[in-house]
């Protein structure tokens, strides 16, 4: 029996520790070789960079930290987003890279997991400032990424424009155009249609099967969404399209609520014009904590990690939680939900629509052959639906909750791949 190596001090952040606790507890159920079980606890490659960043006012030059962690190179290049946040750190990025490995393996994509981060508050950046940070960060990590090595994508605080700047910086330095180096680009640059909507759409595409499994009707189902960004907004639109009543959504400014169902097109137009939901006229305004406690059937946390805690979890009345965000549920909240019989579709399955359409984008870029929106949406639904059915079947067959079942499925697949590759040299 091997002695577990603790995470090195560089990675000893609360989030990485949580990721390891989760991995260790699930790995127990997977018939893994001890060496492989131990090996998977460590990210394969990690990079920390710092660089000077000039504000628009030339007198100020800040030093900014950036990270990129590649958890596993066993099954193909690594894949995962880049987030801009004021408190992002190497441990958080390493934890999210590990989750990306399981996510890709659960869906069956030929990637290992990666994640990147720049420690900066994106809301304080002007557009030229954001462009400069992005281009400099890209040049610092340029030898670490590549279409056959590691393919970044959007995450919190970054978007299609950020990806366009990364693609341009990378291509300028290579001397030719390399669209496949990032996904989530604008369609004009080889981005896939329907990538922006993919995570939100993918989340909601699993709702009919979840409701059917619980014997609950889909029509008029009351849905509450925490977050109204790239994931929450498109989940809300998809919810309305499938005949649900989206009764509350929220953003950093707080939430809006209408028990009869919100006009999502109107709320979207309001945010596009005013930046946030604050002062939205046609609904009651509530706090994010009040939002979690609303009477509803479905709750979709679609913003940031750690929002469902031991404190607010007992107030949650939803019967189904679809995790659109990465890591929205702390382990204390997870235990409460289990106790209260809430059916959770975990992040590594529920929000995998984003990386799935990223995979489609990468394939299209490598082949220079682009698919129609209908083809992409149909393939996304098929892949997500199949993964959901397989995880549900595994959970029923082996008596696991959905999170454990999803992780068991992912870790089994990765373990099997590592076993057949063997150890070099
Ligand atoms: N950042 C997204 C995630 O956490 C997408 C990653 C990708 O498309 O590669 O899944």
């Amino acid at each position: 029996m091997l002695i577990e190596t603790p995470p090195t001090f560089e990675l000893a952040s609360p989030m990485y520790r949580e990721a390891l606790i989760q991995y260790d507890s699930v790995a127990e159920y997977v018939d893994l070789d001890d060496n492989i079980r131990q090996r998977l606890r460590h990210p394969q490659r990690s990079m920390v960079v710092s660089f000077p960043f000039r504000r628009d006012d030339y007198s100020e030059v800040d030093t900014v930290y950036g990270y990129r962690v590649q958890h596993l190179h066993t099954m193909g290049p690594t894949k995962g987003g880049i987030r801009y946040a004021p408190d992002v750190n190497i441990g958080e990025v390493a934890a999210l890279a590990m989750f990306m490995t399981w996510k890709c393996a659960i869906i069956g994509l030929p990637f290992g997991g990666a994640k990147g981060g720049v420690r900066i508050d994106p809301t304080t950046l002007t557009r030229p400032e954001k462009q400069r940070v992005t281009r400099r960060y890209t040049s610092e990590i340029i030898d670490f990424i590549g279409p056959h090595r590691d393919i970044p994508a959007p995450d919190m605080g970054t978007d299609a424009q950020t990806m366009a700047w990364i693609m341009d910086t990378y291509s300028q330095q290579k001397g030719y155009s390399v669209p496949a180096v990032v996904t989530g680009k604008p369609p004009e640059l080889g981005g896939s249609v329907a990538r922006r909507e993919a995570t939100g759409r993918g989340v909601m595409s699993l709702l009919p099967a979840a409701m059917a499994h619980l014997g609950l009707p889909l029509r008029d189902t009351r849905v509450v969404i925490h977050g109204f960004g790239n994931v929450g907004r498109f989940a809300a639109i998809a919810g309305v399209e499938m005949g649900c009543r989206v009764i509350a959504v929220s953003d950093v400014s707080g939430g809006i609520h209408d028990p009869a169902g919100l006009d999502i097109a109107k709320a979207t137009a309001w945010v596009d014009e005013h930046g946030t939901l604050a002062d939205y006229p046609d609904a009651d305004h509530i706090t994010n904590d009040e939002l979690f406690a609303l009477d509803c059937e479905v709750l979709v946390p679609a913003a940031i990690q750690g929002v469902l805690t031991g404190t607010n979890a007992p107030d949650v009345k939803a019967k189904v939680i679809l995790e659109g965000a990465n890591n929205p549920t702390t382990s204390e909240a997870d235990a409460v939900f289990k106790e209260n019989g809430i059916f959770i579709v975990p992040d590594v399955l529920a929000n995998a629509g984003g990386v799935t359409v990223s995979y489609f984008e990468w394939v299209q870029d490598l082949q220079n052959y682009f698919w129609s929106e209908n083809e992409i949406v149909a393939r996304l639904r098929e892949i997500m639906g199949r993964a959901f059915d397989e995880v549900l079947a595994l959970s029923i067959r082996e008596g696991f909750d959905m999170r454990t079942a999803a992780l068991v499925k992912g870790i089994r697949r990765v373990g099997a791949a590592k076993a057949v590759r063997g150890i070099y040299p």
Side-chain angles (χ1 to χ4, degrees):
M1 176 77 177
L2 285 170
I3 297 167
E4 301 290 3
T5 327
T8 55
F9 73 93
E10 297 93 335
L11 298 176
S13 79
M15 214 163 145
Y16 196 68
R17 239 173 272 129
E18 275 261 340
L20 283 182
I21 291 171
Q22 212 180 79
Y23 166 70
D24 287 341
S25 66
V26 174
E28 250 184 67
Y29 303 119
V30 183
D31 188 19
L32 272 187
D33 177 278
D34 260 349
N35 296 295
I36 292 177
R37 187 168 56 80
Q38 170 74 4
R39 182 72 196 101
L40 289 171
R41 303 176 91 245
H42 306 270
Q44 191 166 342
R45 296 177 189 163
S46 310
M47 190 172 198
V48 181
V49 298
S50 76
F51 53 88
F53 159 57
R54 180 170 61 75
R55 294 263 168 193
D56 287 345
D57 171 3
Y58 206 117
S59 63
E60 244 184 89
V61 177
D62 297 335
T63 292
V64 173
Y65 271 79
Y67 311 97
R68 185 75 186 166
V69 174
Q70 301 164 359
H71 175 247
L72 179 87
H73 277 275
T74 302
M75 19 240 306
T78 48
K79 188 87 193 79
I82 292 173
R83 59 174 51 183
Y84 289 0
D87 51 357
V88 69
N89 56 71
I90 184 85
E92 173 180 329
V93 170
L96 291 163
M98 182 189 272
F99 285 123
M100 283 305 299
T101 294
W102 314 143
K103 194 187 294 188
C104 292
I106 290 161
I107 298 291
L109 306 180
F111 298 128
K115 205 74 161 195
V118 175
R119 196 192 296 161
I120 201 157
D121 182 352
T123 62
T124 66
L125 298 176
T126 63
R127 186 183 156 98
E129 287 174 344
K130 193 165 184 183
Q131 176 165 183
R132 282 201 295 279
V133 166
T134 303
R135 288 188 182 278
R136 181 62 192 249
Y137 167 69
T138 307
S139 6
E140 293 295 335
I141 63 166
I142 202 140
D143 292 327
F144 206 52
I145 58 173
H148 299 289
R149 183 170 292 169
D150 178 21
I151 308 125
D155 199 83
M156 277 165 40
T158 58
D159 56 14
Q161 177 60 72
T162 324
M163 297 307 114
W165 289 325
I166 295 177
M167 180 269 185
D168 183 67
T169 306
Y170 188 89
S171 300
Q172 290 294 346
Q173 297 209 13
K174 293 289 160 189
Y176 51 92
S177 185
V178 191
V181 67
V182 283
T183 59
K185 299 176 295 295
E188 301 85 323
L189 279 184
S192 183
V193 288
R195 169 64 185 85
R196 200 163 63 109
E197 301 87 341
T199 312
R201 255 189 196 154
V203 169
M204 294 307 282
S205 75
L206 301 182
L207 185 59
M211 297 300 272
H213 168 66
L214 298 173
L216 297 169
L218 184 65
R219 204 151 184 92
D220 261 353
T221 290
R222 291 167 304 170
V223 179
V224 167
I225 301 176
H226 176 254
F228 204 53
N230 237 347
V231 183
R233 144 189 311 224
F234 293 108
I237 295 170
V240 171
E241 277 169 8
M242 61 177 62
C244 301
R245 233 184 319 151
V246 179
I247 61 165
V249 298
S250 70
D251 63 16
V252 280
S253 73
I256 57 171
H257 174 221
D258 181 350
L262 292 164
D263 183 341
I264 294 300
K266 205 164 171 186
T268 305
W270 179 270
V271 171
D272 285 343
E273 196 183 335
H274 300 91
T276 68
L277 290 165
D279 303 324
Y280 178 74
D282 294 327
D284 297 333
H285 285 257
I286 55 173
T287 65
N288 273 311
D289 267 335
E290 288 166 338
L291 175 127
F292 288 131
L294 285 174
D295 245 328
C296 64
E297 284 74 43
V298 180
L299 173 63
V300 184
I304 52 169
Q305 66 259 26
V307 292
L308 293 167
T309 63
T311 316
N312 60 19
D315 299 329
V316 170
K317 299 183 187 68
K319 298 183 173 68
V320 176
I321 296 178
L322 300 173
E323 293 184 336
N326 286 317
N327 264 46
T329 308
T330 62
S331 42
E332 293 82 25
D334 209 33
V336 174
F337 295 148
K338 236 179 251 172
E339 180 76 27
N340 292 348
I342 298 177
F343 185 76
I344 299 183
V345 185
D347 50 2
V348 280
L349 173 61
N351 72 26
V355 71
T356 302
V357 177
S358 273
Y359 166 60
F360 297 162
E361 181 171 329
W362 178 71
V363 169
Q364 292 172 82
D365 286 342
L366 291 178
Q367 299 184 341
N368 283 306
Y369 177 74
F370 289 87
W371 313 346
S372 71
E373 178 158 2
N374 283 347
E375 275 172 288
I376 289 166
V377 174
R379 286 182 204 205
L380 171 65
R381 282 225 180 91
E382 188 204 322
I383 289 183
M384 294 283 291
R386 194 190 321 131
F388 178 88
D389 290 345
E390 287 170 3
V391 170
L392 182 62
L394 176 66
S395 89
I396 294 168
R397 196 172 58 239
E398 302 191 28
F400 298 132
D401 59 83
M402 286 292 278
R403 190 185 310 280
T404 308
L407 291 170
V408 163
K409 180 174 189 289
I411 295 170
R412 265 187 197 153
R413 187 183 153 99
V414 171
K418 280 198 87 63
V420 284
R421 273 192 68 156
I423 296 172
Y424 171 87

